[in-house]
């Protein structure tokens, strides 16, 4: 299945162990590991192959594993949330969960002996963690208000589920895609505000209308005409490819010059992944993401090979896409397209949840909504389907004091990766430091609009500093002969319409000196004012 032109001797360590035993083989060994214990396990199985079932050994907390789920389109039910809560609850102070920058959730404190029971519980409520780490396809992101938003052009929920089902064999594991050259990110949005950060995915689908005459044979995409648009236009997606961040190189996705009807999206995903699997470069892991193959081949050859796999030609991209809104954060109360219903976005500081929070969120979704919960890529939650008549009572719920619907203008947009608490790549502590910093800045300053600050603990960029207004990337720096935790500062990231990546403006600022620097950036670039000054002005 994989390209065998690379000789065994030239294989890097990851390719070698994947060739020796496929990661998915680990599915059948979970019971054995549970009895054996983590200390006696083969190291490659423990540190790498377990990631094929979403289980991550944490060198920072040996024996306490992390589990990464899959949440297609970021949607889960209250019963799924309750099961996740039960899982972390049993680990007491070690147990917690994090909403991730891919609209997903990770559980912490997991003991290997509990895995068989945990997988049974997942199975009972339709949860899966399959192929969520290492050289697999990550959680597929979609618009967090799909199906709720009156202005959306296409409800992506079903499509995202279909893509996941195809890629993971309905969550059971799919050996066709268990040995990719590297990780792979897919996003699909049917809204107007690019809620998924399409530009930073290996493969992204953004809404675009094709003139009917240009579409060739009239396809089933026609049945998706939004009523607001004339019947001469057919809904589909323009395709972007090759976006990624890595320690050595970051690229925004580029247009493939292809438009696909909704019913062709799953097949296009499959074709792109087959091409990547069979031809993607595998020798150097720093040069294995999809963009490196596109560089090597050129876009035309890549596109031609895709058509070859698809067995039909791709239509050229529509002249423009429909991403014409600024990005929304969905925090607060919003009317749904369904009359009398609302969705409410709660700010979860840096995405961190504990078991009791998770039970509470599940209860609120049951009592006030339709038992549904959604995640956003900003690590927050949305509870949909709250009726007008229940809204006032919902707003009196004590949980909303901690998970606010109207947080401060920095807190509202704060994003942070895992950092040193659990991640061995981390050069700095992130989540707690991010929260303290925001608190201090909000105490001193008044803001006129939200400012999106993203923290990431190392150059891998899981916290996406390049999409932020102000991005902070962990580094080590020197001051007075001592090595300290520091950050490189990124600015200029633009999301939503005309999204583009920010760049590094200064390097190696010690974290202990950061607050006044951020304060100055916020005043000079984002219209923030010192509270004292604002008071003086109002007294004049
Ligand atoms: Fe990431 C590796 C956490 C989103 C780029 N990422 C890791 C590991 C698995 C490293 C490790 O083994 O410790 C981190 C696990 C730490 C932990 O215990 O939580 C980790 N990445 C995360 C999460 C949890 C950050 C967060 O707090 O939200 C995100 C999980 C998403 C998910 O649900 O699947 C997460 N990672 C991202 C993103 C953002 C995105 O997808 O929009 C990126 C940049 C985009 C991209 O991949 O192109 C990202 N993570 C990386 C990389 C660099 C990839 C590369 O090509 O070099 C690594 C390192 C690697 O893969 O070798 C990495
Ligand atoms: Fe870990 Fe670095 Fe990713 Fe943060 S950015 S989660 S520190 S790998």
């Amino acid at each position: 299945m994989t390209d065998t032109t690379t000789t065994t001797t030239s294989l890097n360590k990851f390719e070698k162990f994947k060739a020796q035993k496929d990661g998915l083989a680990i599915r059948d060994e979970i019971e054995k590991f549970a009895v054996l214990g983590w200390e006696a396990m083969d190291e490659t199985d423990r540190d790498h192959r377990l990631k094929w079932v979403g289980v991550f050994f944490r060198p920072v907390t040996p024996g306490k594993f992390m589990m990464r789920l899959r949440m297609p389109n970021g949607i889960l039910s209250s019963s799924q949330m309750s099961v996740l809560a039960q899982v972390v609850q049993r680990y007491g102070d070690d147990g917690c969960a994090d909403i991730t920058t891919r609209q997903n959730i990770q559980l912490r404190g997991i003991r290997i002996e509990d895995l068989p029971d945990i997988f049974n519980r997942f199975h009972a409520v339709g949860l899966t963690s399959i192929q969520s780490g290492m050289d697999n396809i990550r959680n597929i992101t979609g618009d967090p208000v799909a199906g709720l938003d009156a202005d959306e052009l296409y409800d992506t929920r079903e499509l995202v589920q279909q893509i996941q089902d195809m890629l993971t064999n309905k969550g059971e594991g799919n050996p066709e895609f268990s040995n990719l050259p590297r990780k792979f990110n897919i996003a699909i949005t049917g809204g107007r505000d690019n809620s998924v950060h399409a530009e930073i995915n290996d493969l992204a689908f953004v809404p675009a209308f094709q003139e009917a005459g240009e579409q060739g044979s009239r396809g089933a995409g026609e049945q998706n005409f939004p009523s607001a648009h004339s019947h001469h236009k057919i809904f589909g997606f323009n395709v972007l490819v090759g976006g990624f961040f890595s320690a050595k190189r970051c690229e925004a996705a580029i247009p493939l010059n292809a438009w696909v009807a909704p019913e062709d999206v799953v097949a296009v995903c499959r074709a792109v992944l087959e091409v990547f699997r069979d031809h993607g470069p595998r020798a150097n892991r720093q040069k294995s993401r999809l963009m490196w193959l596109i560089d090597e081949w050129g876009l035309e050859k890549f596109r031609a090979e895709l058509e070859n796999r698809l067995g039909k030609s791709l239509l050229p991209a529509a002249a423009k896409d429909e991403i014409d809104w600024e990005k929304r954060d969905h925090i607060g109360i919003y009317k749904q397209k369904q009359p009398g219903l609302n969705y409410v976005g709660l700010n979860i500081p840096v995405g961190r949840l504990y078991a009791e929070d998770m039970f509470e969120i599940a209860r609120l979704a049951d009592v006030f909504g339709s038992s549904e919960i959604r995640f956003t890529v900003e690590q927050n939650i949305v509870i949909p389907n709250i009726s007008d008549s229940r809204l006032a009572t919902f707003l009196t719920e004590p949980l909303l004091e901690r998970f606010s619907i109207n947080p401060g203008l920095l807190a509202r947009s704060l994003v942070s990766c895992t950092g040193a608490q659990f991640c061995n790549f981390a050069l700095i502590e992130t989540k707690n430091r991010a929260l303290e910093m925001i608190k201090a800045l909000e105490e001193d300053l008044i803001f006129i609009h939200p400012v999106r600050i993203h923290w990431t603990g190392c150059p891998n960029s899981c916290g996406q500093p390049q999409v932020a207004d102000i991005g902070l990337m962990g580094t080590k720096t020197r001051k007075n002969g001592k090595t300290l935790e520091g950050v490189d500062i990124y600015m200029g990231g633009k999301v939503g319409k005309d999204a583009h990546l920010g760049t590094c403006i200064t390097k190696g600022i010690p974290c202990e000196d950061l607050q006044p620097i951020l304060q100055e950036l916020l005043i000079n670039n984002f219209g923030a004012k010192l509270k004292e000054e604002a008071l003086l002005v109002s007294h004049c």
Side-chain angles (χ1 to χ4, degrees), residues 174-194:
N174 185 353
E176 282 181 286
F177 298 114
S178 61
N179 185 359
L180 299 177
R182 203 64 164 91
K183 71 184 288 194
F184 197 90
N185 290 329
I186 303 177
I188 175 161
T189 178
R192 295 180 166 281
D193 71 338
N194 188 13

Side-chain angles (χ1 to χ4, degrees), residues 58 100-102 104 106 108 183 245 289 418 462 464:
R58 299 292 71 199
T100 77
T101 52
R102 291 201 69 78
N104 191 10
Q106 296 185 164
R108 305 204 180 269
K183 71 184 288 194
F245 297 159
R289 297 288 294 270
T418 307
C462 305
Q464 311 151 325

Side-chain angles (χ1 to χ4, degrees), residues 208-267:
F209 288 99
Q210 192 75 270
E211 297 299 323
E214 291 168 23
Q215 201 220 9
S217 67
R218 289 162 78 88
E222 277 184 278
Q223 72 205 16
N224 301 301
F225 287 159
S227 53
H229 288 268
S230 104
H231 63 282
H232 295 112
K233 294 187 168 183
I234 297 174
F235 180 79
F237 300 93
N238 277 353
V239 183
L240 306 176
V241 286
F244 79 112
F245 297 159
S246 72
K248 293 265 163 1
R249 180 180 174 197
C250 294
E251 293 291 346
I254 56 172
L256 177 66
N257 186 24
W259 178 91
V260 294
E263 64 273 16
D264 287 335
V265 165
V266 177

Side-chain angles (χ1 to χ4, degrees), residues 85-123:
Q86 285 161 17
V87 169
V88 294
Q89 187 179 40
R90 71 169 94 172
Y91 302 114
D93 289 346
D94 291 336
C96 66
D98 289 314
I99 303 172
T100 77
T101 52
R102 291 201 69 78
Q103 225 182 8
N104 191 10
I105 196 162
Q106 296 185 164
L107 311 181
R108 305 204 180 269
I110 309 295
R111 304 277 179 173
I112 199 117
E113 57 270 27
D114 298 331
L115 284 181
D117 174 57
I118 292 173
F119 283 122
N120 283 338
R121 285 168 188 253
F122 284 0
H123 204 250

Side-chain angles (χ1 to χ4, degrees), residues 337-359:
K337 69 176 170 194
Q338 297 81 3
L341 292 181
N342 307 274
Y343 66 85
V344 180
L346 276 59
N347 176 231
I348 311 293
V350 292
R352 175 62 50 86
L353 293 170
Y354 295 92
E356 53 279 22
D357 304 328
M358 296 157 78
F359 284 124

Side-chain angles (χ1 to χ4, degrees), residues 70 130-131 163-174:
R70 301 190 74 92
I130 201 85
Q131 286 167 275
I163 303 168
Q164 168 163 314
D165 286 349
M166 181 270 290
L167 297 175
T168 66
N169 180 24
K170 298 208 162 114
E172 297 298 315
N174 185 353

